[in-house]
Amino acid sequence: MTKYMIGIDIGTTSTKAVLYKEDGTVLDKAQQEYPLLTPTIDTSEEDPDVILAAVIKTVKDVMVHHNVQEEQVMFLAFSAQMHSLILMDQHHQLLTNSITWADNRARFAAETLKQQYDGQAIYKRTGTPIHAMSPLSKIWWLKQENPQLFNKAERFVDIKSYVLHRLTGEWLMDESIASATGLYNLHTRDWDKDVLTLLGITTDHLPKLVSTQHICSSIATQYAQEMAISKDTPIVIGASDGVLSNLGVNSYHTGEVAVTIGTSGAIRTVVDRPLTDDKGRIFCYVLDDQHYVIGGPVNNGGVVLRWLRDELLASEVETAKRLGIESYDVLTRIAEKVPPGAQGLLFHPYLAGERAPLWTSDARGSFIGLTLAHQKEHMIRAVLEGVLFNLYTVYLALVEVMGEMPDTIKATGGFSKSELWRQMMADIFDCIVEVPEAYESSCLGACAIGCRAIGLSDDYEVIERWVGKTYTHQPNSDHVQQYQELSSIFIQISRVLKTSYASLAQFQRTHYNVKE
């Protein structure tokens, strides 16, 4: 009898369920989108019950579409977005929507924690940078700004905890998600007592901590029937989407780095002990009992290319449509006309503020070095390079913390479809770039944890069999030298402008109500 596994990824804008055969072969994917609720400039929330419904529907869709029988399902394993926060009352009813990582209302609370409550010491213990994204900052903000709501809260949970509570009746949080809250101590592997005291909450306000291989209680009969699975199907709690993405592209060995660029982006590597940065530039999150993931998320990936396409290249894109050319291919075709370095034109890609390496929502984008000799194609090339220069800055912080130079970068996300970008990355990072052949890496990583949880494997060797590679790029030594010079200038200018960013951002908010 054929056996199947289902990986579920609760993302920021959609939930995906992927049906895999036991050997890692992809059979089907179901996806359910949902809106971000943004009634104000800084608000970014989601309806938890809409997400619960998306989980149920996507699982049912892959089960029914392939006529999978409930006894054929080995397990369901979960991946989920990090940094979400939901307040629940004493009757297990919602007090808030799910406040996502993109919500910026706690930005002043984050600065207060940094400056007045030894934020660096908190970061060193928890591995989560002090930023508006983190539940730590959000809870502090709610305590200060909305004490009536704060005092009503019986529990502070994340979106995965909420979904699993509805499905199983248990309040659980895996250590991976917990390590991205700012409330979890990486060294004691428990909730951080000093942080809880600072917030005025106790462990009773938080879900029970469990390992990423934990198997939850049986599913409520109603939901099992709606998903077309048995109520006794093992539910493996899994981990966060970021760390599972590394695992899902077979990038969990020492010396391997994974770079993902979608709308936003991230760069990560797996280490065997908690590591943080004296300058606070990177995160450190749990993968499992022996593995941690360090790295940095960036706000500005594909969203910058979309801005470039929509705002500066409307006529070129219209022409491309008539010729049957994909709109983003237009960018790379034009950029290919310009030599590396765009004749000394740099672009800071901070159109959406920035997390790593600057960790400030006040960062702003800019062209630097513009002259009369530069044309539109130079600006396009500079934008493409600027996104990678920013990621390279985070990479340098990783190298500094790791104490060694990685030998391989696994590149994933929409940008990896572009041969120009892949080579550009190899040249800027001076490193071999490989593109793994993995489908929905976070779901696949969740399934790798699921196999360990039910005893099918002792390690992640299954990933070695599941993931291949499609492209490999070697750095071009001539380009490397030029990019090394430019990257130093890029970093130097970003440091000089940090104070000016704050002043300009405040001017924009005051006079133009600029959206972050």
Side-chain angles (χ1 to χ4, degrees):
M1 180 174 62
T2 304
K3 292 288 189 178
Y4 303 99
M5 48 194 180
I6 298 176
I8 302 161
D9 178 40
I10 302 173
T12 306
T13 56
S14 69
T15 285
K16 303 165 188 171
V18 182
L19 180 71
Y20 300 93
K21 289 175 66 175
E22 188 175 359
D23 64 2
T25 302
V26 179
L27 293 178
D28 198 9
K29 178 181 84 168
Q31 182 170 349
Q32 185 73 26
E33 296 184 351
Y34 31 77
L36 274 173
L37 307 175
T38 56
T40 71
I41 289 173
D42 292 319
T43 304
S44 181
E45 298 182 344
E46 293 170 334
D47 185 333
D49 288 324
V50 169
I51 293 177
L52 172 64
V55 170
I56 294 168
K57 184 179 188 305
T58 53
V59 172
K60 179 181 180 179
D61 285 350
V62 296
M63 289 289 293
V64 171
H65 189 249
H66 271 272
N67 195 28
V68 178
Q69 303 305 302
E70 60 182 38
E71 64 271 15
Q72 292 179 282
V73 181
M74 298 189 296
F75 58 79
L76 272 61
F78 277 85
S79 161
Q81 55 178 283
M82 291 179 279
H83 313 303
S84 60
L85 177 69
I86 303 170
L87 273 59
M88 307 292 299
D89 70 14
Q90 60 182 336
H91 304 296
H92 306 305
Q93 299 302 305
L94 291 164
L95 290 174
T96 67
N97 283 320
S98 178
I99 307 171
T100 74
W101 63 268
D103 194 284
N104 204 34
R105 287 173 289 178
R107 67 180 185 276
F108 296 121
E111 288 303 315
T112 299
L113 290 168
K114 279 183 187 178
Q115 303 302 327
Q116 299 181 26
Y117 293 93
D118 201 357
Q120 178 68 2
I122 295 174
Y123 158 71
K124 295 287 281 185
R125 297 197 307 273
T126 66
T128 303
I130 308 297
H131 186 269
M133 69 180 183
S134 74
L136 164 63
S137 298
K138 292 167 184 167
I139 295 173
W140 178 261
W141 159 67
L142 286 169
K143 181 180 180 181
Q144 304 303 315
E145 300 296 327
N146 197 338
Q148 185 175 5
L149 177 63
F150 174 85
N151 290 329
K152 284 182 181 178
E154 184 74 11
R155 272 194 171 81
F156 301 88
V157 303
D158 80 299
I159 186 60
K160 191 203 289 187
S161 296
Y162 179 81
V163 168
L164 291 177
H165 177 262
R166 289 294 192 244
L167 295 179
T168 70
E170 295 184 287
W171 281 117
L172 304 172
M173 185 180 290
D174 66 80
E175 290 184 281
S176 178
I177 289 289
S179 66
T181 62
L183 312 177
Y184 174 91
N185 190 307
L186 292 169
H187 308 285
T188 64
R189 299 294 292 251
D190 201 352
W191 298 117
D192 188 277
K193 294 179 181 178
D194 291 340
V195 168
L196 298 194
T197 299
L198 173 65
L199 295 176
I201 63 176
T202 70
T203 54
D204 292 337
H205 289 97
L206 300 167
K208 178 184 176 182
L209 286 171
V210 295
S211 80
T212 56
Q213 296 178 47
H214 179 82
I215 298 176
C216 304
S217 298
S218 60
I219 309 167
T221 301
Q222 170 196 345
Y223 293 124
Q225 291 174 347
E226 289 182 26
M227 289 190 284
I229 62 175
S230 166
K231 68 181 183 62
D232 297 319
T233 301
I235 303 294
V236 180
I237 196 167
S240 67
D241 54 2
V243 303
L244 289 176
S245 181
N246 265 60
L247 183 57
V249 296
N250 190 27
S251 181
Y252 67 94
H253 303 94
T254 301
E256 294 179 339
V257 168
V259 175
T260 303
I261 304 179
T263 301
S264 56
I267 181 166
R268 315 177 197 88
T269 191
V270 177
V271 293
D272 60 3
R273 64 192 188 282
L275 292 175
T276 52
D277 172 32
D278 290 339
K279 300 174 184 176
R281 293 167 294 180
I282 65 170
F283 58 67
C284 180
Y285 300 145
V286 172
L287 174 57
D288 59 26
D289 292 344
Q290 291 85 36
H291 299 92
Y292 301 80
V293 174
I294 61 173
V298 300
N299 289 352
N300 299 280
V303 67
V304 179
L305 303 193
R306 187 172 62 206
W307 168 82
L308 180 67
R309 179 196 66 185
D310 295 346
E311 303 301 332
L312 298 183
L313 296 174
S315 61
E316 287 85 350
V317 168
E318 188 60 37
T319 300
K321 283 182 181 178
R322 292 197 296 268
L323 297 175
I325 301 171
E326 204 277 325
S327 62
Y328 285 110
D329 287 344
V330 176
L331 276 66
T332 54
R333 290 189 184 192
I334 296 174
E336 283 174 337
K337 300 176 182 178
V338 177
Q343 288 187 226
L345 181 61
L346 292 173
F347 179 72
H348 278 183
Y350 309 130
L351 304 187
E354 193 51 279
R355 286 179 287 171
L358 302 178
W359 295 104
T360 173
S361 59
D362 288 338
R364 293 294 183 262
S366 54
F367 284 101
I368 303 152
L370 195 62
T371 73
L372 290 173
H374 290 112
Q375 300 172 318
K376 184 181 289 188
E377 52 262 40
H378 296 93
M379 299 174 76
I380 295 168
R381 176 107 193 185
V383 169
L384 299 179
E385 292 174 342
V387 171
L388 292 179
F389 277 139
N390 189 49
L391 277 165
Y392 179 66
T393 308
V394 184
Y395 170 81
L396 292 178
L398 280 185
V399 170
E400 186 178 324
V401 171
M402 293 168 63
E404 60 181 317
M405 291 292 294
D407 51 29
T408 307
I409 291 176
K410 304 286 181 71
T412 63
F415 92 104
S416 64
K417 299 174 184 177
S418 164
E419 181 178 357
L420 174 67
W421 260 39
R422 295 193 302 266
Q423 186 60 52
M424 196 182 288
M425 174 174 282
D427 296 341
I428 289 175
F429 285 67
D430 190 15
C431 194
I432 298 169
V433 171
E434 292 181 356
V435 179
E437 193 175 23
Y439 187 81
E440 295 296 347
S441 57
S442 293
C443 290
L444 193 62
C447 287
I449 284 184
C451 286
R452 291 188 68 183
I454 67 171
L456 282 182
S457 65
D458 295 327
D459 205 338
Y460 298 125
E461 70 272 6
V462 289
I463 285 288
E464 306 278 354
R465 300 194 298 270
W466 293 348
V467 178
K469 60 184 180 183
T470 54
Y471 304 101
T472 300
H473 291 262
Q474 300 282 344
N476 180 313
S477 57
D478 292 336
H479 298 171
V480 167
Q481 183 177 356
Q482 192 166 12
Y483 279 136
Q484 290 294 306
E485 290 183 46
L486 279 173
S487 65
S488 296
I489 299 170
F490 180 97
I491 294 169
Q492 178 188 2
I493 294 173
S494 67
R495 290 172 179 165
V496 170
L497 289 180
K498 194 168 184 180
T499 301
S500 299
Y501 286 148
S503 300
L504 183 58
Q506 185 56 47
F507 176 86
Q508 291 174 335
R509 291 190 192 104
T510 301
H511 296 283
Y512 300 106
N513 198 27
V514 170
K515 186 173 181 177
E516 299 290 347

